[in-house]
Amino acid sequence: MFNKITIVGAGNVGSTLAFLIVANKLCKKIMLIDVEGDLAKATALDLEDSRFSFGANLSLEASSNLGDVASSDLVVITAGRPRSPGMSREDLVKINSSIVQKVCSQIKAKAKDAIVIVITNPLDIMTYIALTTTGFSRKRVIGMGSSLDSARFANLLSKKLRVAIENINPFVFGAHGKNMLVSSTSTIRGLGLEKFIKDREAARLKSQTIARGARIVSLLKKGSARFGPAASCLEIIEAIGLDKKKLTFAASYLNGEYGLKGVCVGVPVIIGARGIERIIEITLSKREKKVLTDAAKILRKNINSL
Ligand code: 2OP
């Protein structure tokens, strides 16, 4: 059980995540911070009204002051501009990096033992900014992107194959963007995908997975996905809070794993009470290795341009 979870950014993802945390009673206090103080306040009041139905004895506070991250065990950063139709996640790099930097300076000063989960896009780059700004161990800076991409592939496979969603073991990682790696390691309860689906059809589902976020953005016209991102973040929070040692996917700083260094990108990880407790290296095909290496090159180029 966490004492204090702070969510910075009370927009679509932040408020949906807070609701899930209340429903699952994962902490004693939720602090919602948003530069629009009234938005945070209104959301906190509304969430308080759901406590009775869930029997959730936790408190909710709202603030427009980033300093109120103080003493958090966990800080989730969702603050930043979302994509508009036609925009790539990378188009947000300049504006959102300055926001993430401001938040992380406060975390460094006032919540120095916190675990940080980054949701703000472009996810992999913002995770790198959070890591370098806080100076925290890489275990404690986690980017939520690949768990969502994996969940999206699992959903599409489950629908197409008419197989229970819990039987799908998706392996989707790499960049949270066009250079996503939908790995052939994905299985249906340990059985290879080729037993269930033709290559051509699998390739179609892979492309749909990569385009899923943009498809939602273009249909919404304003804002981006909320339920999928919030649920995938909850999965990570539960793995930390319950020390699950769960194999999932998240952006982590790599220090030689997969032959890459100095970049944050999605990889299979074990998540427990201390955050990213292990990075799992799986064998990649030559083509997959190239996708991951190319993704890292582009990410590094973007980081250097800041
Ligand atoms: C998505 O893929 C918002 O990046 C997020 O929907």
Side-chain angles (χ1 to χ4, degrees):
M1 165 82 88
F2 296 97
N3 276 313
K4 176 176 173 182
I5 299 180
T6 296
I7 300 174
V8 185
N12 286 346
V13 176
S15 57
T16 307
L17 176 63
F19 188 51
L20 289 175
I21 293 171
V22 174
N24 288 281
K25 310 178 187 90
L26 289 176
C27 62
K28 293 187 183 148
K29 185 200 279 188
I30 299 178
M31 168 65 74
L32 273 180
I33 303 182
D34 199 290
V35 280
E36 276 206 44
D38 283 350
L39 174 67
K41 186 81 203 157
T43 308
L45 293 179
D46 192 4
L47 285 164
E48 272 185 343
D49 295 343
S50 75
R51 288 194 322 123
F52 176 74
S53 305
F54 294 127
N57 289 300
L58 48 77
S59 66
L60 282 134
E61 286 181 25
S63 171
S64 56
N65 178 1
L66 290 176
D68 285 324
V69 293
S71 314
S72 304
D73 312 305
L74 181 77
V75 182
V76 182
I77 307 175
T78 74
R81 275 262 303 277
R83 281 192 284 173
S84 311
M87 266 176 125
S88 79
R89 294 182 180 88
E90 285 66 30
D91 291 334
L92 301 170
V93 74
K94 283 236 152 60
I95 177 146
N96 285 353
S97 60
S98 83
I99 295 172
V100 170
Q101 252 164 1
K102 277 190 201 124
V103 176
C104 289
S105 308
Q106 291 297 317
I107 297 174
K108 180 181 181 174
K110 300 194 166 122
K112 60 179 177 26
D113 297 320
I115 292 179
V116 180
I117 302 178
V118 181
I119 302 187
T120 303
N121 271 318
L123 186 274
D124 304 285
I125 301 171
M126 295 306 117
T127 307
Y128 181 88
I129 304 266
L131 183 95
T132 49
T133 310
T134 56
F136 287 179
S137 134
R138 66 173 176 164
K139 288 185 191 325
R140 291 199 283 127
V141 181
I142 306 169
M144 193 298 297
S146 300
S147 56
L148 170 61
D149 299 327
S150 295
R152 284 175 167 160
F153 188 47
N155 167 55
L156 294 172
L157 276 174
S158 160
K159 283 199 331 184
K160 180 77 198 169
L161 307 182
R162 296 168 166 274
V163 170
I165 190 108
E166 65 268 27
N167 287 159
I168 317 274
N169 296 313
F171 264 73
V172 182
F173 54 101
H176 181 55
K178 286 202 187 76
N179 292 297
M180 195 181 292
L181 170 58
V182 187
S183 167
S184 50
T185 317
S186 306
T187 64
I188 312 296
R189 199 140 191 194
L191 301 172
L193 288 188
E194 69 286 350
K195 293 211 183 330
F196 296 84
I197 189 168
K198 291 204 175 70
D199 279 357
R200 198 158 33 94
E201 198 51 42
R204 214 164 60 86
L205 297 187
K206 289 177 185 180
S207 310
Q208 285 176 6
T209 302
I210 295 169
R212 186 82 166 183
R215 174 147 192 253
I216 294 170
V217 168
S218 81
L219 288 167
L220 281 174
K221 297 179 184 75
K222 201 167 169 278
S224 52
R226 66 164 81 178
F227 300 109
S232 294
C233 186
L234 187 80
E235 189 188 332
I236 294 175
I237 295 175
E238 279 184 336
I240 299 167
L242 304 173
D243 193 18
K244 280 191 172 173
K245 317 289 185 204
K246 181 167 186 168
L247 174 66
T248 181
F249 306 88
S252 175
Y253 182 81
L254 298 185
N255 194 16
E257 295 84 0
Y258 291 97
L260 302 170
K261 254 186 179 184
V263 75
C264 290
V265 71
V267 282
V269 291
I270 300 287
I271 298 206
R274 287 178 302 143
I276 295 178
E277 299 191 349
R278 241 189 309 159
I279 292 172
I280 306 296
E281 283 190 81
I282 60 166
T283 310
L284 299 178
S285 70
K286 227 172 155 185
R287 189 199 62 82
E288 291 174 338
K289 196 145 195 197
K290 182 166 166 21
V291 173
L292 194 60
T293 310
D294 288 351
K297 263 190 214 144
I298 294 168
L299 288 170
R300 208 169 296 125
K301 212 173 111 200
N302 266 305
I303 290 166
N304 291 340
S305 75
L306 281 171

